[in-house]
Amino acid sequence: MVASRHEPALCRAARPGERLSSRAGASTPATGLATPLQFVKGIGPRRAEQLARKGLETVEDALYFVPLRHEDRTTFTPLKSIQPGQLATCTGVITAIGPPPPGRSRHPMTVMLRDDTGYATASFFNARYLARVLQRGQRLIVHGKVGRFRGQIVLQHPDWEIVESGDDERLHAGRLVPVYSTTEGLNPRVLRGIMGKLVEAYTADIEEILPADVLARQRLAGLVQALRDFHFPQTEEALAAARRRLAFDDFLFLQLGFAILKSRASRTRGLSIKPRGDLVTKLRASFPYELTGAQDRVWDEIRRDMAAPYPMHRLLQGDVGSGKTIVAAMAAVTAIEAGYQAAIMAPTEILSEQHFMTFRSLLEPLGVPVTLLTSSLGARERKARRAALAAGEIPCVVGTHALVQEGVEFRKLGLAVIDEQHRFGVGQRARLKSLGEQPDMLVMTATPIPRTLALTLHGDLDVSVIDELPPGRKPVVTRARTEGRRPQIYAFLREQIQAGRQAYIVYPLVEESETLDLKAATDMARHLAADVFPEFTVGLLHGRLKFDEKDEIMRRFKDGAVQILVSTTVIEVGIDVPNASVMLVEHAERFGLSQLHQLRGRVGRGPWTSYCILLTGARLSEEAQRRIDAMVATTDGFRIAEVDLEIRGPGDFFGTRQSGLPEFRVADLLRDGVILEAARREADQIVARDANLREPDHQRLRAGLLARWRGKIGLASVG
Ligand code: ADP
Ligand code: MG
């Protein structure tokens, strides 16, 4: 790691045709920010390539590069006073470097440091390369945890930087110092140096994008100040203000986009679907129960939306088993009674099949035919079903994204129901909608998500929440168990089945090891049937079976002819057998938290106590342990969703890639919920006044919005 000592001062790369300042024309974005880093003087192709590995291509990327942390280097902790347990930042000169003894690579490398007060040792495991990089006499700044090793106080594997004599120490010490994640060949100092120079050279010309009244009302730092303080703040307060400002921008652009989509939808003429309601009445009469208060309320919201002459965009949110499906079925028959078609789209083949079975059982008794459309159907069959839809012969279809991918035509699509589970994006929703003329749209999510997240992912939708489970549901008793308890678990299953109940045994199945996983599930089913429960009937369900075979097995399980259903995760969603009281999950550590919650939701649907047994290996990763603990600790879907989000982080939780939404540069959903709400209010106000961002004050917002939504919002075509 060689620090480049004498980087020439950065100045603006003056390339032909480049406009260095955009002050002249208010609508031109500052070209300087778009400068590729490679052309910034002092960076060059090699550094630019290293920076590109961090995803930094332009000056703008670099200015929004989030520091991992800031270190307070206003004062260093004297070496003699470091204490175990402390997180310390120290500086000292290397007096000795001790590689681990030969053949003892498990021993740490030790580096002895000296300052005016005394000595301290820093220890590094698996870091023999340090012997090549560090030399006696060099000055280091180290930051890390203080601990003990063999009785001695040591700095444990600290982050370190070599202080180079030519460096401008004003960037690196005596202040709050940004620390960035580095990459091979690009050490912390070099990166900080580059950032310092970029901030110096490029921020001054950046123009404020927010209208003055928003800045004042929200008490936000100006953009220039925020970008400077984001990297090189004078105080913690300045840093916090910078973060808040930049996070606000992230949210504002997202919410502006949503506000525009919403306002456009509310000005669009849609279908006014308000039949007499005979089919809904019949459907409701076929339920062996009353709707819950929450179901009644959301049905009322949906019914009104459908009747109103603009397109419905509604999210129906509710925990597993809260009864969303029947509400969706009520919406479907309402559209159908009014002479329209209804389409139900689900993210996976198996979920579509499940929904198909449910809808068929609800609608066919009313004389309403339902069909299934997935890509696994034979070409001829698919063609026939598509033709029937196009001719308007079939009023209700359930399918996967095959529905939108193949450009299925409807004669008169009135309602699109999307069972989303975070898996579809804005784009796919839009495409399904486009198959009709402004059909009403109902999006269902099974994982209840915290409000901030709902606003983020579904900000263009109105939200209905079923916040009540059907009466008489008892919380499922959840236990974590390891292999040693298998005999007792089987004995428990036997007891339950002898008492008249049924059980699920679920195996994980991941794509990479699908064949092996399938074999494990198959072998297990055979073993259980032959050796463990010869007196019961054991069924096996997996994704490779043909639709009819799956249908048959599920029917037999529902009828009670099969007592134990061994399955891969195909039953994660949709299956509904109230008599089942045990959910045994094999290799529970391999499932995601929301999957586990979905699986658990398969039981606890009858009047008896139900059980979820999570069988795991003896040693779990920290994350797996957190998932299992959360399952045991709560049955509340909202709480589960929160923990899931904490563990996985928002990107993964949402599947950001699929969502197609603008990515956040700085904002953090877990931390910045309050800012999100404020940004949403401002966005709504701005759009209420100026729906196409045409006012002079909004020109830079407009440019920023178009850039961040990358063409997904076509302002130009409207504005
Ligand atoms: P979700 O789709 O929200 O997971 P479902 O619509 O599958 O929930 O409903 C779960 C189960 O609860 C089904 O067996 C359904 O028939 C039943 N159910 C739905 N609404 C009620 C209700 N109001 N009272 C009793 N049972 C209900
Ligand atoms: Mg359901």
Side-chain angles (χ1 to χ4, degrees):
M1 211 180 292
V2 183
S4 57
R5 228 162 273 194
H6 305 292
E7 303 246 346
L10 293 178
C11 56
R12 311 290 299 277
R15 286 180 298 131
E18 188 197 25
R19 288 187 45 184
L20 287 186
S21 166
S22 56
R23 281 198 184 118
S27 63
T28 324
T31 357
L33 291 185
T35 309
L37 288 168
Q38 177 181 359
F39 298 125
V40 172
K41 215 166 162 199
I43 292 189
R46 191 174 63 90
R47 286 256 182 268
E49 197 185 300
Q50 292 165 340
L51 291 165
R53 256 182 268 143
K54 301 259 93 187
L56 310 179
E57 309 271 355
T58 64
V59 171
E60 182 166 10
D61 294 340
L63 290 181
Y64 282 94
F65 187 44
V66 181
L68 289 176
R69 61 169 189 275
H70 280 80
E71 257 170 50
D72 186 352
R73 295 187 185 168
T74 42
T75 52
F76 291 110
T77 309
L79 290 176
K80 83 160 190 287
S81 56
I82 58 173
Q83 293 298 328
Q86 196 181 25
L87 194 63
T89 308
C90 310
T91 184
V93 171
I94 300 178
T95 57
I97 301 175
R104 300 272 187 94
S105 58
R106 296 255 195 76
H107 280 236
M109 179 71 211
T110 54
V111 175
M112 181 76 82
L113 296 174
R114 175 175 52 81
D115 69 6
D116 296 344
T117 66
Y119 290 86
T121 305
S123 67
F124 299 87
F125 282 93
N126 298 320
R128 293 192 66 94
Y129 72 95
L130 284 179
R132 293 192 308 273
V133 181
L134 300 181
Q135 285 163 20
R136 272 174 37 198
Q138 279 173 330
R139 174 171 290 280
L140 291 189
I141 294 176
V142 289
H143 171 88
K145 199 157 163 216
V146 183
R148 274 180 206 280
F149 186 74
R150 302 188 174 196
Q152 213 196 344
I153 294 180
V154 293
L155 280 151
Q156 292 169 331
H157 215 102
D159 291 347
W160 55 272
E161 340 177 330
I162 303 171
V163 177
E164 300 279 348
S165 50
D167 285 344
D168 178 356
E169 280 308 298
R170 283 170 306 175
L171 282 184
H172 305 293
R175 55 175 306 145
L176 283 171
V177 171
V179 178
Y180 305 92
S181 89
T182 52
T183 182
E184 180 79 40
L186 200 59
N187 75 37
R189 292 218 143 202
V190 173
L191 195 45
R192 190 178 304 123
I194 291 174
M195 294 304 298
K197 287 164 182 172
L198 288 175
V199 167
E200 181 74 16
Y202 283 87
T203 49
D205 282 342
I206 291 176
E207 294 175 322
E208 183 54 56
I209 50 175
L210 293 184
D213 58 326
V214 175
L215 279 174
R217 203 166 31 240
Q218 299 296 338
R219 296 167 198 271
L220 293 169
L223 185 54
V224 170
Q225 194 62 46
L227 280 172
R228 290 187 170 159
D229 290 348
F230 188 52
H231 300 280
F232 297 98
Q234 293 299 331
T235 60
E236 294 282 354
E237 290 74 33
L239 175 61
R243 270 207 200 113
R244 188 167 152 268
R245 160 62 205 258
L246 299 179
F248 184 90
D249 285 5
D250 277 340
F251 289 136
L252 185 74
F253 282 114
L254 182 74
Q255 295 298 334
L256 271 177
F258 284 145
I260 288 168
L261 290 174
K262 271 182 94 159
S263 102
R264 211 172 277 169
S266 70
R267 284 179 292 119
T268 309
R269 271 205 76 75
L271 308 172
S272 171
I273 299 180
K274 41 178 174 188
R276 280 220 329 242
D278 297 345
L279 275 181
V280 163
T281 310
K282 273 197 224 160
L283 179 64
R284 289 182 71 156
S286 75
F287 301 152
Y289 42 73
E290 296 289 311
L291 292 190
T292 61
Q295 282 171 317
D296 253 329
R297 194 186 62 238
V298 303
W299 167 238
D300 203 49
E301 291 163 355
I302 292 167
R303 193 178 50 78
R304 273 172 214 256
D305 270 7
M306 291 180 73
Y310 54 80
M312 169 167 79
H313 284 103
R314 191 166 279 282
L315 175 72
L316 177 56
Q317 208 183 296
D319 206 345
V320 197
S322 61
K324 296 181 293 294
T325 315
I326 58 160
V327 173
M330 287 161 65
V333 298
T334 299
I336 291 163
E337 184 181 331
Y340 294 99
Q341 289 167 296
I344 293 95
M345 181 163 88
T348 62
E349 194 104 332
I350 190 76
L351 181 54
S352 311
E353 290 169 359
Q354 305 278 346
H355 276 324
F356 171 61
M357 292 178 211
T358 309
F359 273 79
R360 194 181 51 185
S361 70
L362 292 170
L363 269 54
E364 285 188 348
L366 312 181
V368 177
V370 182
T371 195
L372 174 71
L373 202 62
T374 64
S375 41
S376 67
L377 288 173
R380 269 184 53 204
E381 187 54 34
R382 227 167 41 224
K383 205 169 156 213
R385 293 184 189 185
R386 287 176 49 176
L389 285 170
E393 289 156 16
I394 297 204
C396 186
V397 60
V398 183
T400 53
H401 48 279
L403 273 179
V404 293
Q405 272 169 0
E406 303 179 11
V408 175
E409 281 175 42
F410 289 89
R411 204 176 78 80
K412 228 177 152 190
L413 183 62
L415 174 74
V417 177
I418 302 183
D419 194 344
E420 180 155 80
Q421 318 223 343
H422 307 159
R423 272 180 258 203
F424 292 119
V426 170
Q428 267 167 323
R429 273 190 227 153
R431 248 174 289 150
L432 182 62
K433 245 178 88 69
S434 72
L435 300 179
E437 279 180 31
Q438 301 301 339
D440 285 332
M441 193 173 71
L442 185 65
V443 180
M444 301 198 285
T445 58
T447 316
I449 50 182
R451 184 178 153 75
T452 39
L453 304 184
L455 286 182
T456 307
L457 192 63
H458 305 293
D460 54 336
L461 307 175
D462 296 309
V463 180
S464 291
V465 184
I466 305 186
D467 49 6
E468 178 186 356
L469 291 178
R473 294 268 173 89
K474 294 197 188 134
V476 177
V477 177
T478 306
R479 297 279 182 265
R481 293 284 180 261
T482 48
E483 195 55 36
R485 300 288 289 276
R486 192 176 284 278
Q488 288 92 327
I489 293 171
Y490 285 158
F492 179 72
L493 254 66
R494 174 168 283 113
E495 247 171 59
Q496 288 283 311
I497 296 169
Q498 279 166 350
R501 303 285 80 74
Q502 287 162 284
Y504 297 102
I505 303 181
V506 174
Y507 270 82
L509 188 146
V510 292
E511 255 168 67
E512 304 90 74
S513 55
E514 193 182 330
T515 323
L516 272 179
D517 286 345
L518 200 54
K519 182 165 180 315
T522 313
D523 289 349
M524 191 52 150
R526 203 174 298 132
H527 166 65
L528 289 173
D531 314 327
V532 188
F533 299 111
E535 72 272 42
F536 302 137
T537 307
V538 179
L540 173 66
L541 188 67
H542 58 78
R544 292 270 184 89
L545 296 175
K546 297 223 169 59
F547 174 77
D548 291 339
E549 295 167 322
K550 283 184 238 174
D551 196 20
E552 169 70 13
I553 289 171
M554 286 199 278
R555 224 184 275 258
R556 291 182 59 212
F557 188 61
K558 212 161 184 161
D559 295 346
V562 167
Q563 285 95 34
I564 299 176
L565 186 63
V566 176
S567 165
T568 56
T569 47
V570 295
I571 60 161
E572 182 186 338
V573 277
I575 267 202
D576 185 32
V577 179
N579 190 50
S581 66
V582 185
M583 169 62 66
L584 169 59
V585 185
E586 298 270 355
H587 300 288
E589 69 276 14
R590 288 172 57 188
F591 290 87
L593 194 45
S594 74
Q595 261 182 320
L596 288 173
H597 182 63
Q598 292 284 333
L599 286 171
R600 177 168 59 186
R602 297 306 112 204
V603 295
R605 295 173 169 235
W608 27 76
T609 304
S610 292
Y611 304 86
C612 175
I613 305 168
L614 305 173
L615 199 54
T616 68
R619 300 196 51 173
L620 302 184
S621 73
E622 196 188 318
E623 282 191 8
Q625 190 64 55
R626 282 178 72 187
R627 293 196 293 269
I628 303 289
D629 290 348
M631 284 294 293
V632 173
T634 181
T635 53
D636 175 351
F638 275 94
R639 188 58 207 131
I640 295 276
E642 264 167 18
V643 176
D644 199 19
L645 176 71
E646 280 163 27
I647 296 176
R648 290 158 64 191
D652 191 26
F653 182 86
F654 284 149
T656 317
R657 259 171 298 118
Q658 290 114 304
S659 80
L661 297 175
E663 301 213 7
F664 296 147
R665 291 159 161 179
V666 175
D668 174 342
L669 282 166
L670 288 174
R671 191 187 57 199
D672 300 330
V674 180
I675 308 177
L676 171 60
E677 300 274 354
R680 180 172 175 91
R681 281 194 302 275
E682 291 293 344
D684 285 347
Q685 281 187 29
I686 291 170
V687 171
R689 205 176 77 201
D690 180 18
N692 284 301
L693 304 181
R694 279 193 259 213
E695 288 177 15
D697 247 16
H698 296 158
Q699 286 316 300
R700 291 198 203 94
L701 282 182
R702 182 190 163 97
L705 179 86
L706 292 174
R708 292 219 191 185
W709 280 76
R710 279 189 233 110
K712 290 195 183 69
I713 290 189
L715 272 185
S717 63
V718 180

